Amino acid sequence: MRSLIDILELSTEEINELISIAVDIIDNPGAYSEKCRGKKLATLFFEPSTRTRLSFEAAMYELGGNVIGFSEASGSSVAKGESVSDTVRAVSCYADIIVMRHPKEGAPLVASMKSISPVINAGDGGHNHPTQTLTDLLTISREKGRLSNMTVGFCGDLKFGRTVHSLISAMSRYDGIKFVLISPDELQIPEYMKQNVLDKIGLEYIETKDIGAVMPTLDILYMTRVQRERFFNEADYVRLKDSYILTPDKLKNAKKDMCVMHPLPRVNEISVAVDDDPRACYFKQVSYGKYIRMALILKLLEVV
Amino acid sequence: MIIDEITNGIVLDHISAGMCMEIYRILHLERLECSVAIIKNVSSRKMGKKDIIKVADMFDLDLDVLGYIDPNITVNIIKDGKLFEKRKLALPDEVRNVIACKNPRCITSTEQELPQIFRLTDRENRIYRCVYCESRAKDK
């Protein structure tokens, strides 16, 4: 039995296999509609989420399985003061597989140590979000036809943006990847990411505040939201929230086949006018998210 | 100042000056019934000043913890009044319940019964990180 807590627990071969399964599901959905008949997925969401939770629920239903769970901590025994360890130990007696989102970093790891069922980390604070990364990798693979030899720009909140950290860690293992990190000084990528990933492997990357100057070099532009819930201080949030807004005008200098991605939800960092641009991939990303989660559930439940 | 030679026990030598009380605390030497000598600011040719701890009995010494605190400490095992063994220390791959994670977003900040586990992620620069949130251990 395995869990998925950090994307780096998966080898590139395993990631490629998950992508292959997801692509097969897209092509032959009927072949998978009964694969999880009689299995239960528990969604333990200690922090609000619409997209990720619904994506997992839709994934399990499309595999013929059932879903139990809660969508906020106040609706669970946590409100009575129960620990993550105890909650998970109990839930793993009912569910075949557990999906957990928690505001505290490391909570899903604690869960995986105590659970008798596989645990999937659906986001732990600003730390990791491996299934978003799998979604992003499937999106890049489908839209660009490869996962190597490209320049990937990340823009916005690179400090607290867990999707950014996970995707950088995952993509750094492919050949010929360059990163362009675009953010205000206060939201730069954390020191541990530089030290443990970028500098450790000797990857090529630049840090800049000027999105316009680097736009023509990018094959992927990964936009992020400045997240209010990650700030201890409201004034800092207000000052930084509008640092970068992507508009059709800013895209004029971009490559014709560049891919604009966003983990969603967006607030205003991508103008709605960009949605009709063929380079906008963020709604396709949502749909890929369900398929890669289906592949992951199948793999962890060992039914493929 | 005269401190008796020990017949059977452990001498921790070459402790950086000023660190002996922290080592005393972390190794829980206060729990021992035997004589324990803490000698501070001893002149040392190699170090200028050093601390020494002498324990007049054998006890279960956690070399990993000691290696984390200072891998340059020398551990001398004394048997029948003679030096029986000199043990070398190394940075341990993992330390449990020695360092506490300071990250307020870490799960250990709210669930305090969890073991505090730090792993060595960069041996050259002696960097340990929390296994839960990957925050770096603050320098001692």
Side-chain angles (χ1 to χ4, degrees):
Chain A
M1 190 273 296
R2 278 183 63 181
S3 292
L4 178 62
I5 305 303
D6 183 332
I7 191 71
L8 295 181
E9 291 164 5
L10 297 176
S11 65
T12 50
E13 290 76 22
E14 286 171 312
I15 287 175
N16 294 343
E17 189 192 353
L18 286 171
I19 289 175
S20 298
I21 297 170
V23 168
D24 197 51
I25 297 170
I26 295 169
D27 294 338
N28 308 291
Y32 293 89
S33 62
E34 296 289 326
K35 288 274 187 193
C36 289
R37 177 67 62 205
K39 303 277 188 191
K40 284 193 288 292
L41 170 94
T43 53
L44 310 186
F45 278 66
F46 295 84
E47 189 180 57
S49 155
T50 315
R51 210 164 321 272
T52 306
R53 184 170 57 84
L54 294 184
S55 177
F56 270 109
E57 292 185 1
M60 193 55 172
Y61 285 127
E62 290 197 22
L63 292 168
N66 290 304
V67 179
I68 56 176
F70 55 83
S71 56
E72 52 182 323
S74 63
S76 75
S77 53
V78 176
K80 299 173 193 164
E82 189 178 50
S83 68
V84 167
S85 305
D86 284 3
T87 304
V88 163
R89 205 173 273 184
V91 171
S92 68
C93 298
Y94 315 134
D96 300 286
I97 186 163
I98 293 171
V99 175
M100 177 189 274
R101 169 167 290 193
H102 198 287
K104 290 288 181 180
E105 298 172 11
L109 176 67
V110 172
S112 71
M113 291 168 167
K114 302 290 180 185
S115 172
I116 53 174
S117 307
V119 174
I120 300 173
N121 180 3
D124 56 338
H127 189 214
N128 279 320
H129 193 359
T131 64
Q132 180 65 49
T133 308
L134 289 172
T135 301
D136 298 338
L137 292 170
L138 174 61
T139 305
I140 295 169
S141 169
R142 290 283 280 180
E143 296 301 312
K144 305 298 290 182
R146 65 186 192 278
L147 284 170
S148 51
N149 300 311
M150 62 180 89
T151 301
V152 186
F154 290 91
C155 179
D157 175 4
L158 311 189
K159 183 178 182 185
F160 298 115
R162 60 188 162 203
T163 57
V164 172
H165 305 165
S166 293
L167 187 55
I168 288 177
S169 300
M171 290 216 73
S172 63
R173 298 186 296 179
Y174 291 89
D175 292 334
I177 299 294
K178 293 177 195 167
F179 292 119
V180 178
L181 308 171
I182 309 149
S183 70
D185 288 338
E186 296 89 339
L187 296 176
Q188 279 183 357
I189 199 135
E191 163 272 336
Y192 74 82
M193 281 297 300
K194 288 187 196 170
Q195 193 181 58
N196 281 6
V197 182
L198 299 168
D199 295 336
K200 194 172 182 179
I201 313 175
L203 274 173
E204 199 176 319
Y205 69 95
I206 58 166
E207 293 184 280
T208 179
K209 283 180 265 191
D210 184 358
I211 187 170
V214 293
M215 187 68 90
T217 67
L218 305 178
D219 297 301
I220 304 279
L221 173 59
Y222 197 100
M223 297 293 296
T224 62
R225 174 172 65 99
V226 177
Q227 302 170 89
R228 182 192 292 262
E229 60 269 30
R230 303 282 169 239
F231 284 84
F232 286 130
N233 181 339
E234 177 74 9
D236 285 345
Y237 167 71
V238 170
R239 183 167 54 81
L240 294 168
K241 71 183 173 68
D242 294 334
S243 297
Y244 296 99
I245 296 175
L246 187 65
T247 58
D249 194 45
K250 285 190 183 147
L251 277 175
K252 274 182 188 159
N253 291 330
K255 289 182 184 172
K256 295 286 173 245
D257 63 346
M258 189 183 75
C259 188
V260 180
M261 296 171 63
H262 191 298
L264 301 179
R266 97 179 125 177
V267 180
N268 61 348
E269 59 279 3
I270 301 178
S271 149
V272 178
V274 173
D275 295 359
D276 295 329
D277 190 299
R279 290 168 287 196
C281 292
Y282 30 93
F283 289 111
K284 283 188 207 165
Q285 232 175 311
V286 178
S287 124
Y288 290 134
K290 183 187 69 184
Y291 294 113
I292 201 75
R293 288 181 176 103
M294 289 170 78
L296 180 64
I297 292 168
L298 290 170
K299 198 72 196 153
L300 291 180
L301 287 176
E302 298 175 352
V303 290
V304 279
Chain B
M1 189 166 56
I2 298 165
I3 294 166
D4 287 347
E5 296 275 317
I6 56 176
T7 312
N8 289 298
I10 296 172
V11 177
L12 305 179
D13 199 357
H14 301 111
I15 300 171
S16 301
M19 288 295 288
C20 62
M21 285 314 292
E22 188 177 340
I23 289 168
Y24 180 90
R25 185 180 56 78
I26 291 173
L27 295 180
H28 298 293
L29 299 184
E30 76 282 0
R31 292 177 188 167
L32 298 178
E33 299 282 338
C34 62
S35 305
V36 177
I38 296 167
I39 315 163
K40 287 183 65 175
N41 298 328
V42 180
S43 295
S44 160
R45 259 184 301 164
K46 208 163 67 175
M47 302 169 70
K49 276 183 180 178
K50 65 177 181 179
D51 291 356
I52 300 172
I53 296 177
K54 288 187 174 187
V55 181
D57 205 351
M58 292 300 171
F59 68 102
D60 191 11
L61 175 63
D62 189 337
L63 291 175
D64 281 354
V65 169
L66 209 53
Y68 167 73
I69 301 164
D70 185 350
N72 299 317
I73 292 172
T74 313
V75 179
N76 299 309
I77 311 291
I78 311 293
K79 273 191 184 169
D80 300 325
K82 289 180 181 159
L83 177 62
F84 175 75
E85 188 185 352
K86 245 183 207 294
R87 286 195 191 155
K88 281 207 156 191
L89 297 178
L91 282 180
D93 292 330
E94 184 179 294
V95 284
R96 279 178 178 250
N97 299 324
V98 176
I99 331 163
C101 186
K102 300 281 197 302
N103 175 9
R105 296 182 177 87
C106 180
I107 184 69
T108 57
S109 70
T110 46
E111 304 214 352
Q112 287 161 6
E113 79 290 355
L114 289 170
Q116 294 273 358
I117 308 171
F118 280 73
R119 279 205 191 114
L120 184 63
T121 56
D122 182 343
R123 190 168 286 277
E124 198 179 322
N125 297 304
R126 296 186 60 184
I127 293 170
Y128 283 83
R129 292 187 184 277
C130 172
V131 296
Y132 304 102
C133 69
E134 296 180 73
S135 290
R136 184 177 168 171
K138 294 281 178 279
D139 290 335
K140 296 183 295 292

